[in-house]
Amino acid sequence: MIKELVTKGPKRDMDVKAPVHKFGRHFSNTIKGHPKGGLDDEGYKDWRHASGRLKKHEVGLEHFKNMNEWFELRQRLKCKETIDKVAYEQFKKEKDYWKQVIIRIVGLVKFLAKYGLAFRGTNEKLYQKGIGNFLGLVEMLEEFDPIMKEHVRHVLNEECHVHFLGHNIQNELIQLLGDKVRIEIIKKVKQAKYYSIILDCTPDTSHQEQMSIIVRYVNFNSSSMTVEESFLGFLVVNDTTGLGLFEVTCKELESLGLDIGDIGDMRGQGYDNGANMRGKNKGVQTRFLEKKS
């Protein structure tokens, strides 16, 4: 981190106004980038004389000493002649190795998610029975890819404590990729402007009621226009009344940045035959229509 800060230098955004404190004062752009004033240990709060104090600090011995060390280290980094050169090269090699491992693991997660395949079995140890599709693909890839071959060797020999093959990293990558896909879907919906929603409730294996939400829109591209339906996710539902489902749906649409003010851009709704969904008095459908009117 020190090397990155020295190489790239301090970041000074002159276009952002500093926050105002309770007495209405704030740092001006002329003194931004100087986090300290007397400044190295006890802090500084004499705002009225801040500019003068900073100028005094800039000509001080401690400031010149630190600046000299900074410039010297930056020059040595450019010439790759630092005292920890060998250690840094080893660190960079290790970083590149883990980057390549993560790229391959992400590729496996994308493949299984794309085709709706199960990830895990009953065992999470390589080359044992019941390991599931994810670790099975790791074993297959290890036969052909030198990076994964080396990684699997480290895992089997217990040479690394963190190996990124467990269920936690799988779940985290699924979540991150799902969030990215959802962002891209919302971009398309906003480009189309008008959309419809399709809702359906069903309990999961733990008997927790959940509602699936699907958005229907026109996808524009350079060559054609197609009507698409995209699954946005499952919503946990604790209140299955029409009001409860309506509030959960509105909250989700708002969090996605979709316009629901007077149902501005929503042009259609699709539900099952449940009274809490399409009931003419207190169903979700009726509440949306009342909001629009």
Side-chain angles (χ1 to χ4, degrees):
M1 185 179 294
I2 291 175
K3 288 180 171 62
E4 291 294 322
L5 291 172
V6 169
T7 303
K8 296 181 179 180
K11 176 177 174 57
R12 300 180 181 180
D13 194 341
M14 307 302 288
D15 297 327
V16 178
K17 184 178 180 180
V20 179
H21 79 339
K22 61 181 180 180
F23 297 114
R25 295 182 178 275
H26 64 87
F27 272 114
S28 68
N29 289 338
T30 57
I31 58 176
K32 278 187 181 179
H34 302 274
K36 298 180 179 180
L39 292 180
D40 51 351
D41 48 16
E42 77 279 4
Y44 192 76
K45 62 180 181 179
D46 187 358
W47 295 78
R48 186 182 300 276
H49 303 97
S51 298
R53 187 65 186 87
L54 287 171
K55 290 179 181 179
K56 184 178 179 180
H57 172 76
E58 289 176 348
V59 298
L61 179 61
E62 191 69 20
H63 178 73
F64 278 119
K65 176 184 174 182
N66 292 329
M67 289 294 293
N68 183 61
E69 291 180 357
W70 172 26
F71 286 128
E72 182 179 351
L73 179 55
R74 185 169 63 177
Q75 187 63 33
R76 287 184 176 275
L77 287 172
K78 288 182 180 179
C79 300
K80 298 182 179 179
E81 292 296 337
T82 55
I83 193 171
D84 59 347
K85 175 183 177 181
V86 176
Y88 181 70
E89 289 298 326
Q90 181 63 30
F91 167 76
K92 187 175 183 300
K93 182 179 179 181
E94 188 80 2
K95 183 177 70 172
D96 292 340
Y97 163 77
W98 283 109
K99 181 179 179 181
Q100 293 302 317
V101 170
I102 289 294
I103 288 174
R104 285 156 175 77
I105 292 175
V106 170
L108 297 182
V109 172
K110 288 170 64 178
F111 173 81
L112 293 173
K114 179 178 180 180
Y115 293 100
L117 300 174
F119 277 66
R120 296 185 286 276
T122 57
N123 199 326
E124 289 195 36
K125 293 186 177 181
L126 290 167
Y127 292 102
Q128 295 189 16
K129 292 183 179 180
I131 58 174
N133 292 326
F134 179 80
L135 291 181
L137 286 173
V138 171
E139 292 180 356
M140 182 274 293
L141 191 60
E142 183 261 341
E143 296 182 17
F144 307 99
D145 184 80
I147 298 292
M148 288 306 295
K149 181 179 288 295
E150 179 69 9
H151 187 58
V152 169
R153 185 186 68 80
H154 286 312
V155 175
L156 294 178
N157 294 336
E158 298 183 350
E159 296 176 5
C160 57
H161 177 67
V162 178
H163 48 69
F164 296 111
L165 299 181
H167 62 275
N168 288 330
I169 188 65
Q170 295 172 36
N171 292 339
E172 185 175 351
L173 289 174
I174 291 170
Q175 184 65 48
L176 292 172
L177 292 171
D179 292 341
K180 182 63 176 177
V181 170
R182 191 179 295 109
I183 289 172
E184 294 302 316
I185 292 173
I186 297 304
K187 285 182 180 179
K188 293 180 181 179
V189 174
K190 290 183 177 180
Q191 182 184 11
K193 186 173 174 60
Y194 301 116
Y195 66 94
S196 301
I197 59 170
I198 303 173
L199 305 176
D200 190 20
C201 283
T202 183
D204 61 13
T205 55
S206 64
H207 305 291
Q208 169 66 54
E209 193 72 21
Q210 60 182 8
M211 180 169 63
S212 63
I213 178 169
I214 297 172
V215 62
R216 182 180 174 93
Y217 58 96
V218 178
N219 184 17
F220 296 93
N221 56 50
S222 57
S223 59
S224 63
M225 292 186 296
T226 57
V227 177
E228 295 188 1
E229 294 180 356
S230 298
F231 173 72
L232 292 178
F234 288 108
L235 308 179
V236 176
V237 177
N238 296 318
D239 181 2
T240 58
T241 65
L243 177 60
L245 297 175
F246 173 76
E247 290 178 343
V248 169
T249 304
C250 287
K251 184 177 179 180
E252 179 68 10
L253 293 175
E254 288 176 351
S255 69
L256 294 173
L258 296 179
D259 179 20
I260 61 170
D262 295 329
I263 317 304
D265 295 334
M266 187 192 296
R267 289 296 185 267
Q269 306 167 51
Y271 310 102
D272 60 15
N273 289 322
N276 54 353
M277 286 291 193
R278 62 190 304 268
K280 64 180 181 179
N281 294 321
K282 297 182 179 180
V284 177
Q285 181 183 32
T286 301
R287 294 181 184 278
F288 273 121
L289 292 175
E290 289 176 351
K291 185 175 179 65
K292 183 174 180 61
S293 60

